[in-house]
Amino acid sequence: MFERIKNLIGSTFRITQKGEEFILRENDFGTIHLDTSAIRRIVEHAKISGVHEIKNVSVDKPSEEVPLNIRLSLTIDHDLSAPKIGEALRDEIKRELYQLFGISDATFDIRVTHITNEVPEKNRRRVR
């Protein structure tokens, strides 16, 4: 019974990680702040063929000396090159960050933590 209550509460109330704000742009007209949780959501929703799951996303806010740092873990398909998948994901995230926020400098720490064992089924023809 407690497990059912725990599952109900866990799916109803989502625990979110609090982000940190940093200054994105500052000019004579004002200041634009960006929260790291917004970047985390962009990273979590990136779509790349061969990536099953993106998790453990951590974003370190940039400073004048250090650029934006993004760390994440991946689950990928079997028989794929982890460096190529990581590179494609990094390029996709960089493109999104530049288009949405104008961020062009970011460093990445991408770790492949799991490779799926699921083999895609081939379409078979029926012989009658």
Side-chain angles (χ1 to χ4, degrees), residues 28-86:
D28 296 338
F29 300 111
T31 306
I32 299 173
H33 295 267
L34 182 62
D35 197 80
T36 56
S37 63
I39 295 172
R40 188 178 314 114
R41 283 190 292 272
I42 297 295
V43 172
E44 289 171 346
H45 295 297
K47 302 288 184 202
I48 294 294
S49 178
V51 175
H52 277 274
E53 185 177 24
I54 299 173
K55 57 184 178 180
N56 300 330
V57 177
S58 174
V59 179
D60 297 332
K61 68 181 187 174
S63 66
E64 291 182 15
E65 303 86 31
V66 180
L68 182 70
N69 185 30
I70 301 170
R71 293 184 308 273
L72 56 113
S73 300
L74 295 179
T75 300
I76 63 172
D77 283 338
H78 73 290
D79 294 340
L80 293 177
S81 170
K84 288 182 182 178
I85 294 284

Side-chain angles (χ1 to χ4, degrees), residues 2-119:
F2 289 116
E3 191 64 35
R4 287 178 52 202
I5 293 172
K6 181 179 165 186
N7 289 338
L8 176 65
I9 291 174
S11 63
T12 305
F13 300 104
R14 188 171 189 200
I15 299 171
T16 59
Q17 296 177 351
K18 184 167 174 58
E20 297 179 9
E21 280 189 2
F22 62 93
I23 296 176
L24 183 63
R25 297 280 183 269
E26 188 172 19
N27 58 24
D28 296 338
F29 300 111
T31 306
I32 299 173
H33 295 267
L34 182 62
D35 197 80
T36 56
S37 63
I39 295 172
R40 188 178 314 114
R41 283 190 292 272
I42 297 295
V43 172
E44 289 171 346
H45 295 297
K47 302 288 184 202
I48 294 294
S49 178
V51 175
H52 277 274
E53 185 177 24
I54 299 173
K55 57 184 178 180
N56 300 330
V57 177
S58 174
V59 179
D60 297 332
K61 68 181 187 174
S63 66
E64 291 182 15
E65 303 86 31
V66 180
L68 182 70
N69 185 30
I70 301 170
R71 293 184 308 273
L72 56 113
S73 300
L74 295 179
T75 300
I76 63 172
D77 283 338
H78 73 290
D79 294 340
L80 293 177
S81 170
K84 288 182 182 178
I85 294 284
E87 183 180 337
L89 182 64
R90 182 199 65 213
D91 292 345
E92 175 66 20
I93 293 170
K94 278 188 168 186
R95 186 183 63 76
E96 287 287 325
L97 291 176
Y98 185 74
Q99 284 182 347
L100 294 172
F101 306 121
I103 297 173
S104 59
D105 192 19
T107 59
F108 290 82
D109 183 10
I110 300 174
R111 298 171 190 259
V112 176
T113 57
H114 189 69
I115 298 175
T116 62
N117 293 330
E118 300 172 11
V119 178

